[in-house]
């Protein structure tokens, strides 16, 4: 798996010009995530500085403040509370919107548009296309505002890059912003709910984490390994540009390889007893965020959001528990990401 993800002889861009297995009737290649160098390198370099570990750590205090305020509101309303609506969605939403420069106050306008990005069959092709077109129009309007009144956020930086020569086109500015907003919003929100659910259904591991809070960073890595985010394998296959020897045989030039990172995260050759959740396990190197040049750009921000949310929940609520039986949970359907639609909790 790591060989394919990190080897330049496997191309993602090639999948955009072939009739490959896909999740929707339309070809839905996305800027950055379906490109090879040098195009991928050029675009990633422009946005990577906003997601460095140092920059993300500078945001941690703000994330902790937002989390305290969200939990205060949850406590004031009283149990039960929907963890998704009360914390898991607004925390990463506020953080990614602030980093990009998208007004979170507009969330009622763009939340459904963002969700359409992750739709497989939840929306019709026509509905999905309409939502994404509306999101693109909205972001194009924000970019036009930045052109008139420059700002120091990521969107402002991308607009400057588009205005200072041919480094970015206007469409690239919109498409990059759309990708970062959608991925940073929906994915992290789903995993905050999924990880809390995993802990509550593994009370021994939950008790261990409560007794040893220093385990939290490593616990998030183990949860990333153990809990798959995607309901499907990678959306696009990689195509071999040359004959490549893998452990299972030879992939000939022009042949595709479909990846399943969640399966690799349960590989017995890498992890002892891989189907067991073990928060003391060294899960560094798990592939939940990918590997190689397409390693998730926002991985550090996602880690920080998740660590902040879990730490606050465990500290604030010693008796945190699910408020409904497992059988009453409704799980997402027709979406690329998995998780409960809502997760009622009590304390």
């Amino acid at each position: 798996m790591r060989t394919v993800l990190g080897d330049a002889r496997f191309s993602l861009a090639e999948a955009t010009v072939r009739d490959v297995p896909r999740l929707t009737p339309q070809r839905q290649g996305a800027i950055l995530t379906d490109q090879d160098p040098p195009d991928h390198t050029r675009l990633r370099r422009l946005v990577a500085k906003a997601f460095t570990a140092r920059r993300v750590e500078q945001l941690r205090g703000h994330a902790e403040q937002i989390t305290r305020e969200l939990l205060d509101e949850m406590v004031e309303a009283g149990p039960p509370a929907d963890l998704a609506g009360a914390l898991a969605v607004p925390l990463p939403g506020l953080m990614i919107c602030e980093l990009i420069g998208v007004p979170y106050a507009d969330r009622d306008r763009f939340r459904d548009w963002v969700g359409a990005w992750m739709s497989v069959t939840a929306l019709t092709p026509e509905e999905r296309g309409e939502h994404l077109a509306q999101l693109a129009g909205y972001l194009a309007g924000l970019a036009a505002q930045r052109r008139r009144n420059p700002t120091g956020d990521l969107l402002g930086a991308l607009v400057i890059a588009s205005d200072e020569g041919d480094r970015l086109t206007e469409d690239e500015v919109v498409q990059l912003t759309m990708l970062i907003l959608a991925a940073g919003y929906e994915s992290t929100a789903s995993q905050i709910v999924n990880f809390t659910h995993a802990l509550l259904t593994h009370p021994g591991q939950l008790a261990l984490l409560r007794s040893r809070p220093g385990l939290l960073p490593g616990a998030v890595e183990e949860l990333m390994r153990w809990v798959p985010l995607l309901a499907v394998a990678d959306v696009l296959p990689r195509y071999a540009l040359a004959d490549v020897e893998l452990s299972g045989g030879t992939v000939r030039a022009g042949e595709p390889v479909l990846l399943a990172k969640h399966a690799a995260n349960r590989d017995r050759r890498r992890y002892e007893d891989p189907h067991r959740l073990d928060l003391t396990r060294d899960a560094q190197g798990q592939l939940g965020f990918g590997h190689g040049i397409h390693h998730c750009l926002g991985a550090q921000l996602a880690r920080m959001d998740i660590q902040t949310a879990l730490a606050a929940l465990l500290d604030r609520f010693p008796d945190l528990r699910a408020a409904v039986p497992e059988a009453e949970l409704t799980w997402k359907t027709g979406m690329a990401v998995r998780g409960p639609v809502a997760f009622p909790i009590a304390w």
Side-chain angles (χ1 to χ4, degrees):
M1 180 69 73
R2 283 181 170 273
T3 298
V4 176
L5 290 172
D7 195 320
R9 291 175 295 176
F10 287 96
S11 167
L12 266 175
E14 187 69 13
T16 65
V17 297
R18 294 175 179 256
D19 189 18
V20 302
R22 55 187 182 268
L23 300 180
T24 63
Q26 317 100 314
R27 295 178 182 271
Q28 59 172 51
I31 192 169
L32 196 65
T33 59
D34 66 357
Q35 294 176 319
D36 297 334
D39 292 333
H40 175 272
T41 307
R42 174 180 68 95
L43 294 174
R44 187 171 177 115
R45 184 180 297 122
L46 289 170
V47 296
K49 68 176 83 173
F51 294 95
T52 63
R54 180 178 179 182
R55 171 62 176 141
V56 168
E57 279 305 309
Q58 291 172 344
L59 297 172
R60 188 179 291 271
H62 185 43
E64 291 171 346
Q65 177 187 346
I66 290 172
T67 301
R68 285 193 297 269
E69 292 171 355
L70 291 170
L71 293 185
D72 286 345
E73 293 174 5
M74 196 166 75
V75 169
E76 184 176 352
D82 172 24
L83 179 64
L87 177 64
V89 169
L91 173 60
L94 281 160
M95 297 304 295
I96 197 67
C97 285
E98 183 172 317
L99 189 148
I100 296 174
V102 174
Y104 187 68
D106 289 349
R107 63 190 179 279
D108 289 340
R109 293 180 60 194
F110 65 70
R111 182 75 185 18
D112 287 342
W113 303 341
V114 168
W117 184 274
M118 297 293 183
S119 171
V120 179
T121 58
L123 300 175
T124 66
E126 294 75 20
E127 290 170 335
R128 184 176 187 274
E130 181 179 349
H131 281 322
L132 293 182
Q134 290 171 340
L135 178 58
Y138 170 77
L139 294 174
L142 292 181
Q145 293 176 13
R146 299 303 195 280
R147 194 161 283 112
R148 295 189 298 268
N149 300 294
T151 58
D153 49 46
L154 178 59
L155 181 54
L158 294 178
V159 168
I160 291 172
S162 71
D163 290 344
E164 293 181 349
D166 61 354
R167 298 174 68 196
L168 279 182
T169 66
E170 286 195 23
D171 184 61
E172 285 175 332
V173 170
V174 171
Q175 293 298 318
L176 271 174
T177 308
M178 186 185 301
L179 170 65
I180 295 167
L181 178 62
Y185 209 130
E186 192 71 33
S187 300
T188 305
S190 293
Q191 288 297 60
I192 289 173
V193 176
N194 288 337
F195 291 0
T196 304
H197 173 266
L199 290 172
L200 291 179
T201 53
H202 292 77
Q205 293 298 299
L206 176 59
L208 175 65
L209 187 56
R210 286 190 183 280
S211 67
R212 298 172 58 186
L215 289 175
L216 184 59
V220 169
E221 298 304 304
E222 170 67 354
L223 287 161
M224 279 296 303
R225 180 197 72 83
W226 194 80
V227 180
L229 169 63
L230 297 179
V232 292
D234 274 7
V235 175
L236 292 176
R238 270 74 165 173
Y239 277 84
L241 301 178
D243 291 355
V244 182
E245 294 293 331
L246 295 178
S247 59
T250 302
V251 180
R252 302 296 180 187
E255 292 180 343
V257 176
L258 284 168
L259 306 179
K261 292 193 288 284
H262 54 279
N265 278 337
R266 300 288 185 97
D267 189 340
R268 295 181 184 278
R269 295 168 296 180
R270 172 65 177 83
Y271 302 105
E272 183 180 351
D273 195 6
H275 300 302
R276 177 170 57 88
L277 179 64
D278 179 2
L279 301 188
T280 66
R281 187 196 305 272
D282 179 6
Q284 291 293 330
Q286 52 79 21
L287 296 177
F289 290 117
H291 177 69
I293 64 170
H294 289 284
H295 182 268
C296 177
L297 188 66
Q300 294 297 337
L301 182 62
R303 283 185 172 99
M304 188 270 288
D305 284 344
I306 294 168
Q307 290 170 9
T308 300
L310 293 181
L313 281 169
L314 299 186
D315 179 68
R316 188 75 173 265
F317 304 121
D319 192 30
L320 182 68
R321 60 191 184 278
V324 298
E326 179 76 14
E328 293 184 16
L329 289 179
T330 300
W331 291 74
K332 296 175 183 176
T333 58
M335 301 287 286
V337 294
R338 58 176 296 280
V341 175
F343 188 29
I345 57 171
W347 54 89

